[in-house]
Amino acid sequence: MPASSPLPSPMALNIAAPNPSMFKKRSSQTLAPLASAASYLSALSQADARARHSHGRTPTATPALSLSSSITSSSEDTVLNEGDPSSHAHGFDNFDGLALPVRPPTSEQVFTTLHTEFGHCANEAYRLTSQHTQGEAVPAHVEQDPPYYILLSTYISYLILICVGHVRDFVGKRLSPGSYTHLVPRNGYAPLNSDFDSFYTRRLKTRMDECFSQPVTGVAGRTIMLLDRISPDYNHTQILTGTRTRALNISSYNYLGFAQARGGCADAVEEVIRRYGVSTCGARLEGGSSDLHTVTEALVANFVGMEDAMISSMGFATNSALIPALVGKGCLVISDELNHASIRFGTRLSGANVRMFKHNDMGSLEALLREVISQGQPKTHRPWKKILVIVEGLYSMEGTLANIPVILELKKKYKFYLFVDEAHSIGALGPHGRGVADYFNIPPRSIDILMGTFTKSFGAAGGYIAGTKSLIDRVRLRGHLGPYAEAMTPPVLTQVLASMASIMGVSPPLPPLDGGEGVVTTSGTYVHPGPAPASSLPNWLTLPYALASGTEGRTRLRRLAFNSRYLHNGLIKLGFITYGHPSSPIVPLLLFNPGKMNMFHRMMKDRKTPIIVVVVAYPATPLVTSRVRFCVSAAHTKEDVDVVLRACDEVGDVLDLKHGIGRGERWTVEKIVERAAEVAGM
């Protein structure tokens, strides 16, 4: 292409196409690695400048990459193809098939993230603040029932599956006993698997296994690379075909988009590997810790607004191994009926008595408190040694928020201890990303114990528990994780430090004015501690200005808030039955019938723009409330959510899923897309 030829704007190409797809076939040519970041930024800058010149406005997103659905090479994540030598003679680099001149950046919007991992979105209209409006009641969890014919067909479907499964077992044991050797006693040994206990797995789940445990490779960011597979024996075995499909990822807990292979956090992780060595990263540190552990625990305590914190290498174990250090025999644990399995397991190990209340029902909680306090311990009726109420900040299957303001009022009245599991809410809720306390503008220290994980918003692994120093000291001695579990590796710790500091921002090397515990103003507004003092981070850890200043962290929080409300309210306006709080990045869409689970998954994945979703069924949910669970990320652009809404609109019509009461009249998907800012603000 001559250097003087006018180049079509990538944004213009997207607008001209009636149904533009981010995911199109790429040529079989192996892409060369990016020569320099400068060429990438220059290409994006020129694209932005031309788009503004052509349309008279700032583009809402940068051009989407050309992504392959059948890639076997290792270069699927390459951003720019340097092209043939002739293109360089004219001073051009090949950007997804478009030749873009390499000149100094002139655009006001300079994106430094890989578009497949974190979407480029420059439109400030697509930003919201995640914050509870003071004085408003917290929405209660309302279960909407579909029409009776949907419930009836769902029960009949399960009845048919169960009956056919038992008939196949009865006939198969007699005609093909070799297929059941693992379920019957043999050679004097009892079977390892119970015939009855494994019935659901063998006869129900196996029929739907296509939509579970999808193998992937690479970074689970805005998009994800699927390993294609087939099953020649009705899902008993899966065979990889050797091809791959790049799909829009609406199924990962990557709330803030920190699951990136490139960027400031990734650079910090590479640096710690160079400093600590590869062998240290895989070493077992039983009952020990490194200097990074002390630094990370201090930053976590500062981030959540508590005196002290203890970190662990596994989020599930944080609950299951540390709750027994908090309560024991003679104590009472009051648990929400939909609490996570790790909480249930931990309370059983503790030996404490357990009572449950209806999910997020404050009336049920108060009635239970009155009963247990008045009756005391069973048989002896002595007072309980302590009462611990455990709730989740954000429930992963329902998308509901715990009613923390009302629970704190009950706490003052009935004098119990409060444990809040913020595995999904920390980093994802609140104007500062500090979880439900931040969202409701509540001082964190009014809550006794805060627990959370690093596997969601921070793109790392492990978990933490935070509280007073005396409490954490006891947990270090009495909890099983301290003396027995492996310590977190330096790369994981560095990812936590870098991502958390990016949310807080990093201040000059001066002590924080508030002593690291936050302040309450005269108007009663709580101000979270921050930014993180530079002295609280390793001196070798340097972040790019956008991360160190906290600018990018605030942008990610506001993008996540918009995407969450936009998808949630958009699905309701389309007529679907959804659960959860509008600010929740978890958006469950009810499917009910088990047959629709497989169909929904396949129809979304087989679209021109493949979309990978997670479907959830029994025992994670009640038997008749099977659902697809969308997980929104700050990495998604408004256009990505548009793609999901359009796909749901079409698939919902085919599978008869639009049975929601909604909010007033239903809207068409095009009306929702056109008035996205209004929909998100509903």
Side-chain angles (χ1 to χ4, degrees):
M1 181 183 293
S4 59
S5 300
L7 297 175
S9 165
M11 289 298 298
L13 292 178
N14 283 343
I15 294 174
N19 289 307
S21 176
M22 320 182 286
F23 306 87
K24 58 183 178 182
K25 294 289 183 181
R26 185 168 59 185
S27 63
S28 58
Q29 175 186 1
T30 301
L31 298 180
L34 177 61
S36 66
S39 61
Y40 176 58
L41 294 178
S42 298
L44 292 178
S45 300
Q46 293 297 323
D48 287 344
R50 280 192 301 276
R52 288 201 311 276
H53 179 74
S54 301
H55 304 287
R57 60 181 177 87
T58 301
T60 58
T62 56
L65 295 179
S66 299
L67 304 168
S68 173
S69 61
S70 58
I71 301 176
T72 56
S73 67
S74 61
S75 60
E76 63 270 11
D77 286 329
T78 303
V79 184
L80 298 177
N81 179 9
E82 294 183 349
D84 58 89
S86 61
S87 64
H88 293 280
H90 298 287
F92 288 79
D93 276 346
N94 188 353
F95 178 70
D96 291 331
L98 296 176
L100 299 176
V102 180
R103 300 190 184 99
T106 59
S107 173
E108 297 171 355
Q109 298 296 333
V110 178
F111 300 99
T112 59
T113 54
L114 187 62
H115 196 48
T116 52
E117 297 177 357
F118 193 91
H120 305 149
C121 180
N123 195 331
E124 289 295 324
Y126 304 141
R127 308 281 194 270
L128 283 177
T129 299
S130 174
Q131 189 170 16
H132 177 69
T133 303
Q134 297 299 319
E136 287 189 3
V138 180
H141 176 60
V142 179
E143 295 184 358
Q144 294 187 40
D145 292 326
Y148 285 118
Y149 76 91
I150 295 293
L151 288 176
L152 183 61
S153 64
T154 300
Y155 281 114
I156 292 176
S157 298
Y158 278 110
L159 181 61
I160 293 175
L161 287 173
I162 293 172
C163 292
V164 171
H166 281 298
V167 170
R168 291 186 64 184
D169 280 354
F170 179 82
V171 176
K173 288 178 181 178
R174 287 152 179 80
L175 299 184
S176 181
S179 301
Y180 293 84
T181 55
H182 63 296
L183 298 175
V184 296
R186 184 166 55 94
N187 298 330
Y189 290 94
L192 286 175
N193 298 319
S194 167
D195 187 357
F196 179 80
D197 291 343
S198 66
F199 178 82
Y200 175 83
T201 303
R202 292 183 295 106
R203 294 308 183 195
L204 279 76
K205 180 180 178 295
T206 303
R207 292 178 173 269
M208 304 179 288
D209 247 359
E210 180 188 348
C211 55
F212 298 122
S213 305
Q214 177 73 52
V216 300
T217 184
V219 175
R222 168 178 168 260
T223 65
I224 196 168
M225 188 67 74
L226 308 178
L227 301 179
D228 298 329
R229 62 182 182 177
I230 58 174
S231 177
D233 52 5
Y234 304 103
N235 294 328
H236 288 285
T237 58
Q238 301 281 352
I239 300 175
L240 297 178
T241 63
T243 61
R244 303 178 183 183
T245 299
R246 173 71 74 175
L248 179 64
N249 181 18
I250 195 78
S251 61
S252 296
Y253 294 143
N254 182 29
Y255 297 140
L256 290 182
F258 280 115
Q260 297 175 229
R262 304 177 191 179
C265 295
D267 293 341
V269 172
E270 291 181 8
E271 177 63 22
V272 79
I273 293 176
R274 284 192 291 268
R275 288 178 174 270
Y276 284 75
V278 178
S279 60
T280 306
C281 300
R284 172 185 172 89
L285 299 174
E286 184 173 333
S289 61
S290 67
D291 57 331
L292 285 178
H293 286 79
T294 305
V295 172
T296 305
E297 288 179 341
L299 185 65
V300 169
N302 193 337
F303 183 82
V304 301
M306 288 293 195
E307 286 185 11
D308 199 3
M310 175 184 173
I311 60 176
S312 68
S313 56
M314 183 179 178
F316 186 97
T318 305
N319 278 331
S320 58
L322 295 184
I323 289 179
L326 300 172
V327 291
K329 187 176 180 181
C331 300
L332 174 67
V333 173
I334 298 180
S335 176
D336 188 291
E337 65 178 351
L338 296 185
N339 274 345
H340 192 261
S342 61
I343 298 175
R344 294 167 177 258
F345 190 62
T347 53
R348 289 171 184 165
L349 288 178
S350 70
N353 290 75
V354 184
R355 296 290 299 271
M356 292 191 295
F357 64 94
K358 190 175 180 181
H359 174 56
N360 226 14
D361 188 328
M362 297 300 99
S364 173
L365 173 59
E366 183 170 15
L368 181 58
L369 285 167
R370 288 171 178 258
E371 176 190 343
V372 297
I373 292 175
S374 62
Q375 296 298 321
Q377 298 185 40
K379 298 182 180 179
T380 63
H381 299 289
R382 292 177 179 174
W384 299 101
K385 292 181 179 179
K386 72 180 76 164
I387 298 176
L388 179 66
V389 174
I390 304 180
V391 296
E392 293 187 40
L394 173 60
Y395 290 85
S396 59
M397 293 298 168
E398 312 297 319
T400 50
L401 299 185
N403 196 337
I404 299 297
V406 175
I407 294 178
L408 289 179
E409 291 298 324
L410 294 176
K411 182 177 183 296
K412 295 177 183 178
K413 184 176 181 180
Y414 294 100
K415 309 302 180 183
F416 56 80
Y417 294 102
L418 178 59
F419 182 114
V420 179
D421 181 337
E422 292 209 89
H424 291 269
S425 55
I426 191 68
L429 293 175
H432 308 92
R434 311 299 173 89
V436 288
D438 186 18
Y439 181 81
F440 291 112
N441 191 30
I442 292 171
R445 297 193 184 187
S446 60
I447 301 171
D448 300 292
I449 306 157
L450 288 175
M451 175 269 172
T453 62
F454 306 121
T455 56
K456 281 79 177 177
S457 297
F458 305 101
Y464 69 86
I465 186 170
T468 62
K469 189 178 186 307
S470 60
L471 174 69
I472 299 303
D473 287 342
R474 174 185 171 85
V475 169
R476 292 184 197 277
L477 294 175
R478 299 291 300 271
H480 301 308
L481 291 182
Y484 302 115
E486 290 95 347
M488 294 171 66
T489 60
V492 176
L493 291 169
T494 304
Q495 173 67 23
V496 174
L497 287 171
S499 58
M500 195 169 285
S502 300
I503 301 172
M504 300 177 69
V506 181
S507 68
L510 296 173
L513 298 177
D514 55 21
E517 61 183 64
V519 296
V520 179
T521 64
T522 55
S523 62
T525 301
Y526 179 80
V527 179
H528 283 267
S535 59
S536 66
L537 301 174
N539 55 12
W540 51 262
L541 178 58
T542 58
L543 296 173
Y545 175 77
L547 294 178
S549 65
T551 303
E552 186 172 320
R554 289 189 294 271
T555 301
R556 291 179 185 236
L557 289 168
R558 297 183 67 214
R559 284 184 59 172
L560 174 62
F562 172 85
N563 291 341
S564 301
R565 295 190 68 94
Y566 178 36
L567 180 59
H568 183 274
N569 294 336
L571 291 174
I572 292 177
K573 294 302 289 184
L574 286 175
F576 291 99
I577 297 178
T578 64
Y579 284 170
H581 193 282
S583 296
S584 166
I586 300 171
V587 186
L589 187 154
L590 276 293
L591 302 177
F592 299 103
N593 196 296
K596 295 179 181 180
M597 296 169 58
N598 228 12
M599 289 303 300
F600 192 96
H601 176 270
R602 180 176 294 183
M603 293 177 71
M604 295 291 277
K605 191 175 72 171
D606 291 345
R607 295 179 62 83
K608 183 180 180 181
T609 299
I611 304 172
I612 187 66
V613 300
V614 168
V615 292
V616 187
Y618 178 85
T621 67
L623 189 66
V624 296
T625 58
S626 302
R627 65 199 65 177
V628 55
R629 187 180 56 175
F630 297 116
C631 296
V632 187
S633 170
H636 295 130
T637 64
K638 183 263 183 184
E639 288 73 19
D640 294 337
V641 183
D642 292 344
V643 170
V644 175
L645 287 173
R646 287 192 173 98
C648 290
D649 183 54
E650 296 177 11
V651 175
D653 288 333
V654 174
L655 298 183
D656 189 23
L657 299 176
K658 298 181 179 180
H659 303 293
I661 300 174
R663 300 172 183 168
E665 64 175 350
R666 294 183 183 180
W667 287 9
T668 64
V669 67
E670 295 304 325
K671 184 177 179 181
I672 293 173
V673 169
E674 181 181 351
R675 301 168 65 176
E678 179 184 346
V679 172
M682 289 181 174

